Amino acid sequence: MMYSHAGKLANGFDETAWFILRFREDKLVLMQGGKTTTN
């Protein structure tokens, strides 16, 4: 599963965020995430 978001923050900065969940045989085996903020 991958979730992502891109948009503007209240202060005018651009934000991109992502979150990944990987399952194997109904068990969570990987969790990653990150966020980038630029002006």
Side-chain angles (χ1 to χ4, degrees):
M1 290 181 198
M2 179 174 179
Y3 302 94
S4 64
H5 167 77
K8 283 218 181 270
L9 300 175
N11 59 9
F13 284 73
D14 295 315
E15 177 183 72
T16 302
W18 54 272
F19 189 64
I20 297 172
L21 298 174
R22 185 175 297 162
F23 295 87
R24 186 172 295 133
E25 298 178 8
D26 295 327
K27 293 184 181 176
L28 180 65
V29 295
L30 176 74
M31 182 170 53
Q32 293 178 315
K35 180 169 77 168
T36 302
T37 305
T38 60
N39 58 359

